[in-house]
Amino acid sequence: MIKLLYYRHNLKHSHEIIQPHKITFNEITIVLDGVLYYKVNGKPITLNKGDVIFIGQGNTRYREPCFQTNYVSINFKSDKIVNLPVKIEDGLSHTIRNLISVFDDIYGYTNNLSDERFTLILSCFLVQLEKQIASQNEHPLVLQIKNYVRINLPNKITLSDVSNHVNYSVAHCEMIFKKATGESIMDYVIKKRINTAKPLLIGEQLTLQDVAYSVGFLDYNYFSRAFKKHTGVSPLNYKKTHF
């Protein structure tokens, strides 16, 4: 459970010093423009444009006065451990910027921080930051392969296609990908297609066959077998259960 306690989008207004004290909440601050100077448990941390800081509950926070800095600060409590480093360099991705924009839009006509929309956006914030950290730690070749799969998911994908795209041999691609993820490239492709198919099955717009084709399965029977193997139910029963 996440509870939002405070939200501020500081548009380059001067801000007074925050004296050292142990915080009873979690803080995320994103610098959109300018610079902020923190100390967390006595350790100096400088945030430049695009950087993000996460200060967990129970840590001691200090911040110097700021001038002409555009930043967003969010204070919240969570019953789950937030797995983020203290400083995330260049954490202001396109997705994070869009989430801030949505937050600002809603905050413009309601300051009720218990509004469930704020909680949903904050949850997206945390998940997005965690995924960005994970991707930064991934092998560059694995990222290339995953991006290729994502872009070409509706099309036929072969190991030769992947190999030609990244300019490495099939054997090398398979070795690096399996070592990093624990699964083969084609197993990843199938899992990605099935996870993409799930929300499509729930809607009324597409037939089961159309869903299969839209995520790259040219044979519906193969799609049905693969779907049941990964989820335990057939596409039809999944649709009936979740519709």
Side-chain angles (χ1 to χ4, degrees), residues 61-243:
R61 175 191 64 173
Y62 161 82
R63 192 178 73 199
E64 294 184 9
C66 66
F67 308 94
Q68 296 297 307
T69 302
N70 181 3
Y71 68 88
V72 168
S73 275
I74 301 170
N75 297 344
F76 66 97
K77 287 193 172 183
S78 174
D79 57 1
K80 293 183 180 179
I81 296 175
V82 180
N83 188 25
L84 291 173
V86 175
K87 182 179 178 180
I88 307 170
E89 293 187 0
D90 296 321
L92 181 60
S93 64
H94 178 70
T95 301
I96 293 295
R97 192 179 289 275
N98 284 340
L99 289 171
I100 291 173
S101 178
V102 174
F103 219 124
D104 285 344
D105 284 345
I106 298 175
Y107 197 74
Y109 56 84
T110 177
N111 57 3
N112 177 17
L113 296 182
S114 63
D115 190 307
E116 63 181 3
R117 291 171 295 179
F118 291 134
T119 304
L120 290 172
I121 299 169
L122 177 55
S123 297
C124 290
F125 252 97
L126 297 175
V127 172
Q128 178 62 26
L129 287 172
E130 287 173 356
K131 287 186 176 294
Q132 288 175 197
I133 293 298
S135 67
Q136 288 174 2
N137 295 329
E138 274 194 319
H139 193 289
L141 179 57
V142 173
L143 284 177
Q144 280 185 280
I145 293 171
K146 286 185 174 181
N147 284 334
Y148 178 83
V149 170
R150 176 179 56 82
I151 294 169
N152 294 279
L153 198 64
N155 307 318
K156 182 180 180 181
I157 297 175
T158 68
L159 290 177
S160 295
D161 295 331
V162 174
S163 172
N164 291 334
H165 176 73
V166 299
N167 293 317
Y168 283 98
S169 69
V170 169
H172 184 73
C173 291
E174 282 278 64
M175 179 190 69
I176 296 297
F177 196 89
K178 183 74 176 287
K179 184 178 180 180
T181 67
E183 60 186 345
S184 71
I185 295 173
M186 294 315 296
D187 283 344
Y188 173 78
V189 171
I190 291 172
K191 184 176 73 175
K192 188 76 172 176
R193 284 173 168 162
I194 288 171
N195 287 336
T196 304
K198 287 178 180 178
L200 299 177
L201 287 169
I202 299 172
E204 295 181 305
Q205 292 83 2
L206 298 175
T207 66
L208 297 178
Q209 289 78 8
D210 287 340
V211 171
Y213 299 151
S214 70
V215 297
F217 285 97
L218 301 181
D219 182 339
Y220 174 75
N221 290 327
Y222 176 54
F223 166 66
S224 182
R225 291 195 302 272
F227 192 94
K228 188 171 183 178
K229 178 181 177 181
H230 281 77
T231 66
V233 295
S234 69
L236 178 60
N237 286 335
Y238 185 91
K239 183 180 181 71
K240 288 180 178 178
T241 302
H242 292 83
F243 183 68

